[in-house]
Amino acid sequence: MFSFIKQYTEKIEGANMYAMFSLLVFVIFFIVLLIAVKKMSKKKIDILSALPFDDSEIINSNSK
């Protein structure tokens, strides 16, 4: 299967360009994500970290 994909992409002109573009999008996404996390306030981080253990709100999926 991989050999078929490799042969197919070699026939496409600029296939290397697609790989570089996808790598660039991937890196930019995680850089933006890292900056957003670094700028997040300590209070917000504490709230989000305790969220899975918060028992104050019980969700009942059977009630409509």
Side-chain angles (χ1 to χ4, degrees), residues 4-61:
F4 172 74
I5 295 171
K6 185 178 176 184
Q7 289 174 357
Y8 182 72
T9 56
E10 286 175 353
K11 293 178 184 177
I12 300 174
E13 292 182 21
N16 194 21
M17 179 90 140
Y18 294 127
M20 292 302 294
F21 178 72
S22 63
L23 179 64
L24 183 67
V25 169
F26 179 79
V27 170
I28 289 173
F29 173 76
F30 281 104
I31 288 173
V32 169
L33 189 65
L34 179 65
I35 291 170
V37 169
K38 288 285 188 181
K39 286 186 174 184
M40 194 178 293
S41 68
K42 179 69 175 168
K43 185 177 178 183
K44 177 88 170 176
I45 293 172
D46 289 338
I47 291 170
L48 291 176
S49 66
L51 195 59
F53 305 112
D54 189 15
D55 290 336
S56 64
E57 182 179 333
I58 299 174
I59 300 172
N60 189 356
S61 61

